[in-house]
Amino acid sequence: MYSKIIVSLSLEHGIGENALELARRLKNDGGEIIALHVQEPLQSSVSTFVSKEAIEEGMQQTKKLLAERIGDADDVVSLIIKGHSSKAILDYAKLNNADCIVVGSIKPGLKDHLLGSTAARIVRHSHCSVHVVRT
């Protein structure tokens, strides 16, 4: 069905395994799957108190968690980008001509209904098809 699928992985919420399986079922022969994690920047008031070494250590831990989530899947390319979650995912998908985004969504709370979750923003603003996996 799809040639280039972006799978948004939230390492904090354990979203990923079901999303990757769905992406595999949706992928055309010869298509590609990109597992994408967005590292949100520290707020300026916080970054003042965090050393560059601690930030680098956090990035290394994120890379390790992403590698564990992907496992030995040779059909998935993993990537970490920086930015605000929904905007970064949407911008990356559009810039790289993705034709599908697979995103997980946890059961929403009142805050999510009032402010909107990452998945909701992606669904509303994506240029391509979006599949939401409830976790």
Side-chain angles (χ1 to χ4, degrees), residues 26-44:
L26 294 172
K27 180 179 66 100
N28 285 340
D29 288 338
E32 65 181 307
I33 298 173
I34 301 167
L36 186 66
H37 175 74
V38 179
Q39 185 82 19
E40 295 206 23
L42 294 174
Q43 294 179 351
S44 60

Side-chain angles (χ1 to χ4, degrees), residues 18-77:
N18 293 338
L20 286 172
E21 277 307 310
L22 175 61
R24 286 183 179 104
R25 290 193 307 263
L26 294 172
K27 180 179 66 100
N28 285 340
D29 288 338
E32 65 181 307
I33 298 173
I34 301 167
L36 186 66
H37 175 74
V38 179
Q39 185 82 19
E40 295 206 23
L42 294 174
Q43 294 179 351
S44 60
S45 60
V46 174
S47 65
T48 304
F49 301 101
V50 179
S51 69
K52 290 181 181 179
E53 293 81 19
I55 292 172
E56 181 57 31
E57 184 179 322
M59 179 59 83
Q60 294 306 317
Q61 183 66 22
T62 299
K63 288 178 182 178
K64 180 181 173 187
L65 287 171
L66 183 58
E68 289 172 4
R69 184 69 50 85
I70 301 301
D72 59 355
D74 59 354
D75 62 336
V76 178
V77 174

Side-chain angles (χ1 to χ4, degrees), residues 3-129:
S3 298
K4 187 177 280 191
I5 301 173
I6 307 296
V7 179
S8 171
L9 295 180
S10 174
L11 300 177
E12 302 86 28
H13 298 295
I15 295 171
E17 190 172 309
N18 293 338
L20 286 172
E21 277 307 310
L22 175 61
R24 286 183 179 104
R25 290 193 307 263
L26 294 172
K27 180 179 66 100
N28 285 340
D29 288 338
E32 65 181 307
I33 298 173
I34 301 167
L36 186 66
H37 175 74
V38 179
Q39 185 82 19
E40 295 206 23
L42 294 174
Q43 294 179 351
S44 60
S45 60
V46 174
S47 65
T48 304
F49 301 101
V50 179
S51 69
K52 290 181 181 179
E53 293 81 19
I55 292 172
E56 181 57 31
E57 184 179 322
M59 179 59 83
Q60 294 306 317
Q61 183 66 22
T62 299
K63 288 178 182 178
K64 180 181 173 187
L65 287 171
L66 183 58
E68 289 172 4
R69 184 69 50 85
I70 301 301
D72 59 355
D74 59 354
D75 62 336
V76 178
V77 174
S78 63
L79 182 63
I80 299 172
I81 60 175
K82 294 183 180 181
H84 180 270
S85 295
S86 58
K87 181 168 179 10
I89 293 164
L90 290 166
D91 290 348
Y92 182 86
K94 190 166 189 174
L95 184 66
N96 290 279
N97 299 315
D99 49 0
C100 181
I101 300 172
V102 177
V103 62
S105 179
I106 58 175
K107 185 176 180 182
L110 181 59
K111 177 182 171 188
D112 296 316
H113 288 294
L114 296 175
L115 299 176
S117 67
T118 299
R121 285 187 213 104
I122 290 172
V123 168
R124 283 195 305 267
H125 300 289
S126 179
H127 76 286
C128 62
S129 297

